Amino acid sequence: MGYLVSGSTLLFVSVLLCLSRVLYSIWWKPRQLQKFFKDQGVVGPPYKLLYGSLKDNAALIQEALSKPMEFSHKILPRISPFIHHTVETYGKVSLIWQGTQPRVIILDPEMIKEILSSKFDQFQKPISNPVTKLLATGLLDCTGEKWAKHRKILNPAFHLEKIKGMLPDFHTSCMELICKWDNLAGTQEGSCEVDVWHEFQNLTGDVISRSAFGSNYSEGSPIFKLQSELAKLVAKAISSPYFPGLQYLPTKDNLRRKKISNEMSAFISSIIEKKEKAMKLGKAPQGDLLSLLLKSNLKEFQKGGSSKAITTKEVIEECKSFYFAGHVTTLILLTWTMVLLSMHPLWQNCARDEVLQIFGKNKPEFDDLSHLKIVNMILHEVLRLYPPVILLVRTTYKEVRVGKVTFPPGVELALPALFLHHDKELWGEDAEEFNPERFIGGVSKAAKYQTSFIPFGWGPRTCLGQNFALIEAKLALSMILQQFSFELSPFYVHAPSSVLTLQPQYGAQVILHKL
């Protein structure tokens, strides 16, 4: 009988401890943190049990995306209505809640400089929702010594001279697109309508397949389709409260996410195996990103063993990042550039005049791409108004002071690039207008603070593929401008939306005219 009583008591105590931990996590701790930040002048919408700000955020986004907007670049209320309302109401340093996770919005350029540059090693990438890791990890997700090791191994693949060697692959992919459009327009009296969002998916997919893996779009196509589906499933997961272990439950979405991730890894693993075999036989191209990565990794292994190199699994994750970031970034940049140059035909004409003056109708060469001043200004202005990634997030792993605010461990810091880029205090009263001339003196002189413009991040963790994306975009845009003028289709609906990245909700239909 005594054993039964002891067992019941133990069970009761265990249940009580579990309940107290849950209560602490979902009620007591958030309220304590809310008071901690309020005492420092950092406030925001009140914490709501379990969901925090997620339900309000989802409802506002659903309402915003239910209707298109006018042809303007005042997109903040549509893309991030909850953050827009919070910043307008509570200021540029304010507190919101990702479920039970505190997230501080920061739009102060000096604080952002500390976070991304001088104190970058005191922050980590967010780890609250493991589902996001299924999409791409690698360098994008590494911190500390692991990040330094991955960066060192990847760096050689992204030197300008290496990218210069990839230009023939860029040109081949672009030429195939131009010929396709030329034939299409030729059957329709010199004009045709295309959805450039769809067209550039194929183009940038072909470019990344050729330049990263020495293959082509047909080989990479299954991976792109899987990544597109996975991105939507990951975005869905991010908008819901996260609790440890949820990703292991056999729900429909969890099972599908896991299956997609495994299929992607299997596809990429087979590509790596083929590449390694071909390299050993001396039959593989040596200038693609994967070859350069494998050679750099082998070099580090020969110098210091496995501790200096990255594993096969890590190589696969870096390849996932190549496919995702390398494909999506340029896709979005080119799509919005075509849309904005259609909206602003005078700038389209200026860009074309510059391209024809430098290249004529000839094949654009690498060294001459740097002479495209107007094209460069336009691309930067597009990145300012429509950055591919609208939000950077960092997490504190220890107490740290930034500016006048002290952050305890486990707090997310949200740096909304889109809001920085549209801030009138930083860019002037025309901040929500398309004005490439603001970049006439270069990026460093375009705004009051250099950290006002962060489409590729900032500081030591600046995106390694920045030059890759910009050179690809310059070449593609130059070749299009050589052959076509373009305008928005009557069927185009201006409806920017965010599905992890900034995309046109209903596509981007333009009418091409052969020159």
Side-chain angles (χ1 to χ4, degrees):
M1 188 71 175
Y3 288 113
L4 290 174
V5 172
S6 297
S8 299
T9 302
L10 185 62
L11 179 61
F12 176 76
V13 172
S14 297
V15 170
L16 195 62
L17 283 172
C18 287
L19 287 174
S20 64
R21 285 186 186 132
V22 170
L23 187 63
Y24 173 78
S25 175
I26 70 172
W27 185 77
W28 180 256
K29 185 179 178 181
R31 293 189 179 279
Q32 287 296 101
L33 284 169
Q34 191 166 260
K35 181 180 185 304
F36 175 82
F37 281 114
K38 184 178 181 181
D39 290 343
Q40 299 184 81
V42 179
V43 294
Y47 170 73
K48 295 182 179 179
L49 189 65
L50 204 59
Y51 284 91
S53 309
L54 288 173
K55 280 190 173 181
D56 293 337
N57 183 45
L60 288 173
I61 288 176
Q62 185 176 6
E63 181 185 355
L65 297 185
S66 67
K67 50 187 180 296
M69 58 177 289
E70 60 181 5
F71 276 20
S72 82
H73 310 306
K74 298 179 180 180
I75 63 175
L76 301 184
R78 186 175 208 276
I79 302 300
S80 297
F82 185 77
I83 292 181
H84 182 260
H85 171 75
T86 300
V87 171
E88 290 286 308
T89 306
Y90 300 100
K92 292 186 176 183
V93 180
S94 48
L95 177 67
I96 61 174
W97 295 89
Q98 292 291 104
T100 60
Q101 172 72 50
R103 173 177 281 190
V104 178
I105 299 167
I106 298 176
L107 285 169
D108 181 308
E110 291 296 339
M111 293 178 70
I112 289 172
K113 186 176 181 180
E114 284 189 62
I115 295 164
L116 297 182
S117 185
S118 61
K119 295 182 179 177
F120 88 100
D121 58 344
Q122 298 185 40
F123 302 95
Q124 296 177 337
K125 288 297 192 76
I127 56 174
S128 57
N129 196 331
V131 170
T132 59
K133 292 180 179 293
L134 295 175
L135 190 59
T137 55
L139 187 69
L140 294 173
D141 199 56
C142 293
T143 56
E145 291 183 6
K146 185 177 180 181
W147 172 81
K149 180 169 71 172
H150 280 240
R151 184 89 177 191
K152 183 179 181 181
I153 291 170
L154 285 166
N155 257 329
F158 289 93
H159 286 163
L160 272 177
E161 280 303 309
K162 301 299 183 184
I163 297 175
K164 181 178 181 179
M166 299 172 195
L167 202 70
D169 290 328
F170 292 7
H171 185 270
T172 299
S173 299
C174 293
M175 199 66 234
E176 289 181 0
L177 179 68
I178 296 296
C179 289
K180 175 187 173 184
W181 287 358
D182 190 67
N183 291 334
L184 190 61
T187 63
Q188 300 180 32
E189 299 181 353
S191 298
C192 64
E193 180 176 317
V194 296
D195 182 348
V196 291
W197 173 246
H198 173 74
E199 297 290 313
F200 289 148
Q201 285 182 31
N202 295 337
L203 168 66
T204 58
D206 196 55
V207 168
I208 202 67
S209 293
R210 292 178 191 273
S211 57
F213 303 99
S215 56
N216 55 40
Y217 182 71
S218 60
E219 186 169 356
S221 179
I223 298 173
F224 297 126
K225 290 177 181 177
L226 289 170
Q227 275 194 328
S228 178
E229 182 182 352
L230 184 56
K232 292 176 182 176
L233 290 170
V234 168
K236 181 179 178 182
I238 292 172
S239 65
S240 303
Y242 170 72
F243 299 98
L246 276 182
Q247 74 272 23
Y248 300 115
L249 296 178
T251 64
K252 179 181 177 182
D253 284 350
N254 280 344
L255 292 173
R256 183 58 184 158
R257 278 189 287 259
K258 188 66 175 177
K259 184 179 180 182
I260 292 173
S261 181
N262 290 338
E263 288 180 9
M264 285 169 55
S265 295
F267 272 120
I268 292 172
S269 181
S270 67
I271 292 173
I272 293 171
E273 287 177 14
K274 289 179 187 176
K275 176 67 69 176
E276 288 177 328
K277 288 178 182 177
M279 288 175 70
K280 287 178 182 177
L281 296 172
K283 296 181 179 180
Q286 299 297 302
D288 58 87
L289 290 174
L290 178 56
S291 296
L292 294 168
L293 168 60
L294 292 173
K295 285 194 291 185
S296 178
N297 197 40
L298 179 60
K299 183 179 178 181
E300 291 300 316
F301 179 80
Q302 291 169 340
K303 281 168 36 179
S306 58
S307 64
K308 295 291 184 182
I310 61 177
T311 65
T312 300
K313 183 179 179 181
E314 288 172 329
V315 171
I316 291 172
E317 290 304 320
E318 294 298 352
C319 290
K320 283 185 181 181
S321 297
F322 285 169
Y323 268 118
F324 182 69
H327 166 53
V328 170
T329 302
T330 316
L331 158 64
I332 291 169
L333 173 55
L334 282 172
T335 298
W336 289 119
T337 299
M338 290 287 283
V339 169
L340 267 63
L341 289 183
S342 296
M343 289 181 174
H344 304 277
L346 291 179
W347 279 106
Q348 182 185 151
N349 293 336
C350 288
R352 181 177 297 103
D353 289 345
E354 179 182 61
V355 167
L356 294 176
Q357 181 182 352
I358 294 173
F359 302 118
K361 291 280 188 170
N362 301 319
K363 174 182 174 181
E365 298 294 340
F366 183 86
D367 292 337
D368 291 326
L369 289 173
S370 62
H371 298 150
L372 294 171
K373 306 300 183 186
I374 294 174
V375 168
N376 198 51
M377 288 157 50
I378 288 170
L379 291 175
H380 279 105
E381 181 69 344
V382 174
L383 285 168
R384 186 185 72 82
L385 287 170
Y386 296 82
V389 178
I390 66 172
L391 183 74
L392 304 179
V393 182
R394 298 290 184 267
T395 303
T396 59
Y397 65 90
K398 61 181 181 180
E399 184 175 293
V400 58
R401 188 171 180 82
V402 181
K404 298 179 180 180
V405 182
T406 298
F407 297 91
V411 175
E412 288 186 354
L413 310 183
L415 319 178
L418 183 66
F419 283 73
L420 278 171
H421 294 182
H422 286 245
D423 191 331
K424 292 182 179 180
E425 290 184 15
L426 302 176
W427 295 93
E429 287 301 313
D430 67 343
E432 293 181 309
E433 297 174 17
F434 181 71
N435 178 20
E437 280 189 349
R438 72 179 82 247
F439 288 99
I440 197 167
V443 171
S444 62
K445 297 179 181 178
K448 291 181 180 179
Y449 300 89
Q450 291 187 355
T451 45
S452 302
F453 184 68
I454 54 172
F456 296 101
W458 184 261
R461 292 195 70 118
T462 298
C463 177
L464 200 57
Q466 177 176 345
N467 288 329
F468 183 100
L470 287 172
I471 289 169
E472 180 188 348
K474 283 183 187 179
L475 179 69
L477 183 59
S478 295
M479 293 178 68
I480 292 168
L481 289 167
Q482 284 177 318
Q483 303 297 330
F484 300 97
S485 63
F486 43 90
E487 61 182 325
L488 289 176
S489 162
F491 298 105
Y492 172 73
V493 177
H494 194 51
S497 63
S498 178
V499 184
L500 296 184
T501 53
L502 190 56
Q503 306 176 10
Q505 187 176 354
Y506 304 111
Q509 300 81 12
V510 304
I511 298 174
L512 302 169
H513 303 286
K514 286 180 64 174
L515 297 175

